[in-house]
């Protein structure tokens, strides 16, 4: 087994991916305006490379953005990863000054706001009816959490963001259900597809950063740090974080979280054995750890930050074959684990986590290797494809330079008239 990925080799792979993705025509996705698989996600890669001084990368990013909005019927309002919000996010990341992409952002921001308000109101209606809270209404990918993170950059003081944050804060209030009183984000179905699930006869509570309560926790923490707050804001952060710390498990390597909690177990107070499984961004301990760290930083709760750090070190201490990762992508692959580990290593100045980055980078590159125009991954997009994996590699390559860029804007007001940078991994609610 090789010892780890050198930054020189990582840069070679990064440059190779960028060379393959430069021409917008290379994309064969059905939804070209999708952040997950379409042009906006690829634009994020070239915007990031442009910040390194690549003279042509900014024009390539612009070409991908233009290709995203070109087809008739595009820019449908939906969650952060689709249509209008996806293009708005990529354009906001690319905006390096008050006039950059001004016309486009002025056009799409009201549509994003409308979609966010729609999600917030549907979220509240479901809670009022006692029928549960489908995760797609509040999650990072399709729901209020992802849209709130975007509005925090587009219109941080506008009423739509406030309504969105208020709906997320409301999830901290217990829900009276036909089965008993459960946390406010209880979902009546099982995880994944809606409908009855014999493994979750009374529904579940989701712990994935992509689709569970860590998403609202992350965006509320980021908004709180930025000084954008609503009634009950800090209390909601405390309840979500407190619930998560109360559901932590422990094995020989350290703390971890299950992917979900069954409603039956929550009602009975039982904590059945649940071995550590997937260690990805979408589901698993890394996403929970990042959300808990952000909450601890926002409210100056050192115990939450320390638990987050210990749980990340435990993830990396377990055998690689127990992580249940799929491919090199950001969603459920090594790319997401690499990005979260790098974020945590840099933010916590943790040498133990930093020492794992070359090993994770090596695993990521091995997963990307292969023959064919798209390499072994078979996809070119952001969430599960080469663009996202390359962005995680970029974080590893840039190291201190990358984190210093983030620190230069941390906590400053996010406003489109301000040339503040928006990190690409804000789409994953990591910052």
């Amino acid at each position: 087994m090789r010892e780890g990925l050198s930054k020189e080799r990582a840069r070679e792979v990064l440059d190779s991916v960028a060379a393959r993705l430069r021409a917008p025509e290379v994309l064969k996705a059905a939804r070209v305006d999708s952040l997950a698989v379409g042009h906006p996600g690829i634009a994020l890669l070239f915007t990031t490379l442009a910040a390194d001084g690549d003279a042509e990368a900014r024009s390539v990013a612009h070409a991908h953005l233009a290709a995203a909005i070109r087809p008739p019927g595009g820019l449908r309002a939906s969650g952060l990863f689709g249509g209008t919000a996806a293009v708005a996010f990529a354009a906001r990341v690319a905006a390096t000054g008050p006039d950059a992409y001004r016309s486009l952002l002025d056009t799409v921001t009201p549509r994003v706001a409308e979609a966010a308000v729609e999600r917030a109101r549907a979220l509240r209606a479901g809670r009022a009816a006692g029928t549960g809270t489908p995760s797609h209404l509040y999650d990072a990918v399709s729901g209020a959490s992802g849209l709130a993170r975007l509005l925090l950059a587009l219109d941080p003081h506008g009423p739509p963001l406030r309504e969105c944050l208020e709906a997320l804060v409301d999830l901290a209030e217990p829900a009276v259900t036909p089965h008993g009183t459960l946390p406010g984000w209880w979902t009546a179905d099982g995880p994944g597809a809606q409908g009855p699930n014999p493994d979750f006869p009374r529904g579940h509570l989701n712990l994935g950063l992509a689709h569970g309560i860590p998403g609202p926790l992350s965006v509320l923490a980021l908004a709180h740090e930025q000084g954008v707050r609503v009634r009950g804001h800090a209390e909601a952060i405390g309840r979500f974080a407190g619930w998560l710390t109360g559901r932590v498990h422990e094995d020989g390597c350290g703390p971890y979280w299950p992917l979900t909690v069954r409603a039956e177990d929550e009602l009975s107070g039982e904590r059945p054995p649940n071995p550590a499984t997937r260690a990805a961004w979408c589901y698993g301990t890394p996403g929970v750890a990042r959300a808990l760290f952000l909450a601890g930083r926002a409210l100056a709760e050192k115990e939450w930050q320390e638990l987050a750090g210990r749980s990340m070190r435990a993830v990396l201490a377990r055998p690689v074959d127990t992580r249940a990762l799929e491919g090199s992508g950001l969603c459920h692959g090594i790319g997401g684990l690499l990005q979260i580990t790098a974020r945590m290593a840099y933010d916590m100045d943790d040498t133990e986590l930093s020492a794992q980055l070359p090993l994770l980078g090596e695993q990521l590159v091995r997963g990307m290797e292969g023959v064919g125009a798209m390499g072994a991954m078979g996809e070119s997009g952001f969430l599960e494809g080469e663009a996202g994996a390359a962005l995680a590699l970029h974080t590893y390559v840039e190291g201190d330079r990358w984190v210093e860029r983030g620190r230069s804007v941390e906590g400053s007001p996010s406003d489109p008239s301000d040339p503040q940078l928006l990190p690409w991994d804000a789409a994953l609610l990591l910052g």
Side-chain angles (χ1 to χ4, degrees):
M1 179 177 175
R2 288 177 276 190
E3 292 184 358
L5 183 71
S6 70
K7 293 196 174 183
E8 292 75 18
R9 173 61 179 147
R11 174 57 76 174
E12 289 175 4
V13 175
L14 180 57
D15 290 344
S16 176
V17 171
R20 283 197 292 273
L21 300 183
R22 288 187 102 81
E25 294 74 22
V26 74
L27 183 68
K28 305 301 180 186
R31 281 291 305 274
V32 296
D33 60 352
S34 161
L35 185 60
V37 300
H39 289 292
I42 299 176
L44 293 179
L45 172 62
F46 287 98
T47 294
T48 301
L49 294 176
D52 292 345
D54 184 330
E56 297 181 6
R58 195 161 299 283
S59 63
V60 174
H62 182 80
H64 277 284
L65 271 174
I69 63 177
R70 191 174 298 132
L75 294 187
R76 297 188 292 273
S78 70
L80 177 59
F81 279 74
T84 306
V87 170
F89 182 86
R92 183 62 183 83
V93 172
T96 56
D99 298 322
Y101 291 102
R102 174 54 40 218
S103 177
L104 175 60
L105 290 171
D106 284 347
T107 299
V108 297
T109 295
R111 300 183 196 177
V112 172
E114 183 179 357
V117 168
E118 179 184 318
R119 290 293 193 283
R121 292 178 180 174
L123 197 53
R124 284 180 150 168
R127 277 181 47 78
T131 55
T133 306
S135 63
H136 73 271
L137 293 179
Y138 72 80
D139 72 7
V141 176
S142 303
S145 293
L147 292 169
R149 181 63 188 95
L150 177 53
L151 285 177
L152 196 56
L154 293 176
D155 186 16
H157 304 296
L161 175 58
R162 176 167 291 275
E163 187 164 348
C164 223
L165 294 176
E166 288 171 346
L168 294 175
V169 164
D170 282 351
L171 294 177
E173 294 299 323
V176 178
T177 80
H179 314 296
T181 301
L182 286 161
W185 63 95
W186 164 73
T187 298
D189 304 317
Q194 296 183 37
N197 185 320
D199 294 329
F200 299 89
R202 297 184 183 181
H204 78 291
L205 297 155
N206 197 305
L207 279 76
L209 179 53
H211 301 298
I213 200 57
L217 177 58
S218 292
V219 76
L220 288 172
L222 291 164
H224 192 279
E225 277 192 305
Q226 202 167 294
V228 180
R229 300 166 189 174
V230 298
R231 184 186 297 274
H233 198 131
E235 292 81 358
I237 292 173
R239 285 191 185 181
F240 296 149
W243 187 87
L244 287 169
T245 60
R247 303 308 179 275
V248 71
H249 291 242
E250 192 100 17
D251 64 10
C253 294
Y256 69 92
W257 283 271
L259 309 187
T260 60
V261 170
R262 298 192 320 152
E264 292 87 344
D265 297 329
E266 179 69 14
L267 288 165
S268 68
E270 294 182 7
R271 300 289 176 265
N274 198 327
T277 51
R278 174 168 283 176
W281 167 73
C282 56
Y283 280 97
T285 294
V288 181
R290 183 60 183 175
L292 198 59
F293 171 80
L294 292 173
R297 193 175 69 183
L299 298 189
E301 291 284 352
K302 292 191 179 298
E303 289 185 4
W304 298 347
Q305 297 177 65
E306 290 169 358
L307 175 57
R310 285 198 300 117
S311 65
M312 280 304 301
R313 290 188 287 275
V315 165
L316 299 171
R318 296 187 185 99
V320 172
D321 60 5
T322 66
R323 295 174 187 166
L325 298 176
E326 299 175 19
S328 296
L330 292 173
C331 185
H332 41 251
I334 301 165
L337 178 56
L338 173 59
Q339 184 65 21
I340 294 174
T341 304
R343 269 284 196 175
M344 295 291 282
Y346 300 148
D347 286 348
M348 300 186 75
D349 195 22
D350 190 304
T351 56
E352 190 174 336
L353 292 179
S354 295
Q356 293 287 333
L357 298 179
L359 302 176
L360 292 172
E362 178 70 18
Q363 293 161 25
L364 185 150
V365 167
R366 271 189 278 146
M368 295 175 72
E369 288 173 344
V371 294
M374 286 294 102
M377 297 188 71
E379 294 186 28
S380 54
F382 173 73
L383 203 53
E384 298 179 25
E386 284 195 308
L391 280 162
L393 270 183
H394 180 270
T395 303
Y396 167 61
V397 170
E398 288 299 299
D400 292 340
R401 282 184 58 199
W402 189 85
V403 76
E404 282 305 318
R405 281 183 208 156
R407 284 175 179 164
S408 68
V409 298
E410 186 179 290
S412 61
S414 183
D415 189 288
S417 65
D418 185 334
Q420 177 203 340
L421 299 177
L422 178 67
W424 66 262
D425 65 354
L428 306 177
L429 303 186
L430 299 182

